[in-house]
Amino acid sequence: LQPQPLEEILTIYATFTETQDGGRSAAIGFNMVRIAKEYKECDQHEKAYQSQNAIFVARKRTNARKVKPMRWVKNVGLGIKTPDAAIEGNYVDKKCPFTGDVSIRGKILKGLVISTKMKRTVVVRRDYLHYIKKYRRFEKRHKNIHAHCTPAFGVKEGDIVTIGQCRPLAKTVKFNVVAHEPQRAKTGKKTFRMF
């Protein structure tokens, strides 16, 4: 085998990392984040003008070869896939783990969504068994955890979500939704389910 120059290897690698819809990868390796193709103005539902901190909206459009993307998206890591809605969406959420300034570290938990009444926050129920030594038996227990839910996920009651621990975002919110599985069968809120 002849050793190949680095530039040739990178061009071969770049052709393999192209996605189906034509978007380019921002990082080299397994932790790749796609880049949105064109700029869309962010949703304006608040009194203040909504824009991402890392992006300067009023820049002049130039024909330069290396142009920064108009939407800032990061890779959370830990094998968590960045959703397409975060890459190509136009929401602004500073507490989002994909487009905001929040890092996921610590515990990764799975649970059932029992309430979505709060704005961008869900209540996740986690069931577990507690062993009682005297009777040598288990009893059922549960905990409710409040988690921030980014607009990239369309979470409904009864869905199963994966939540990751982050810094405290509010008085009771210390977790962030990082993955979402839509519900398959309708079950009661308080039925015992372990994940």
Side-chain angles (χ1 to χ4, degrees):
L1 288 167
Q2 292 287 338
Q4 291 181 315
L6 182 64
E7 295 84 22
E8 193 176 322
I9 294 169
L10 288 175
T11 53
I12 294 166
Y13 184 75
T15 56
F16 283 114
T17 56
E18 290 278 327
T19 54
Q20 284 106 5
D21 58 350
R24 282 193 220 113
S25 303
I28 294 177
F30 294 106
N31 299 330
M32 292 180 287
V33 176
R34 281 193 2 259
I35 298 171
K37 287 181 279 283
E38 70 272 341
Y39 172 69
K40 289 181 269 184
E41 189 182 10
C42 299
D43 293 333
Q44 303 297 330
H45 299 300
E46 309 291 333
K47 287 182 180 177
Y49 180 75
Q50 300 294 300
S51 66
Q52 287 185 307
N53 289 339
I55 302 298
F56 179 56
V57 179
R59 75 171 183 211
K60 293 183 173 66
R61 307 289 193 273
T62 59
N63 293 353
R65 287 181 64 200
K66 193 172 183 181
V67 179
K68 263 179 75 174
M70 290 299 285
R71 181 158 180 84
W72 186 79
V73 182
K74 72 173 180 179
N75 191 337
V76 172
L78 303 169
I80 297 164
K81 186 182 176 291
T82 304
D84 293 337
I87 297 165
E88 293 163 1
N90 50 1
Y91 67 88
V92 175
D93 184 9
K94 64 180 184 178
K95 296 177 182 179
C96 172
F98 307 105
T99 62
D101 187 29
V102 175
S103 60
I104 302 296
R105 78 284 187 282
K107 296 180 182 176
I108 304 289
L109 308 172
K110 214 169 196 185
L112 183 76
V113 176
I114 59 169
S115 175
T116 58
K117 292 177 183 174
M118 291 179 276
K119 183 182 177 184
R120 292 187 181 176
T121 307
V122 296
V123 180
V124 179
R125 180 187 171 107
R126 295 197 70 240
D127 298 312
Y128 61 97
L129 296 171
H130 177 250
Y131 184 69
I132 297 173
K133 200 159 55 171
K134 180 181 177 182
Y135 299 109
R136 287 186 270 168
R137 282 166 174 76
F138 290 94
E139 68 179 0
K140 292 175 187 174
R141 288 190 178 183
H142 83 277
K143 285 274 189 281
N144 286 346
I145 300 171
H146 299 268
H148 180 79
C149 184
T150 174
F153 298 115
V155 176
K156 297 188 180 83
E157 287 183 19
D159 291 356
I160 297 163
V161 293
T162 304
I163 55 176
Q165 191 178 5
C166 59
R167 63 177 170 81
L169 302 174
K171 183 183 174 183
T172 58
V173 181
K174 295 168 186 67
F175 285 86
N176 224 313
V177 175
V178 293
H180 167 237
E181 300 169 25
Q183 65 178 351
R184 291 180 199 88
K186 188 74 176 169
T187 56
K189 272 187 188 179
K190 297 187 177 179
T191 53
F192 191 83
R193 294 178 69 184
M194 286 180 67
F195 302 103

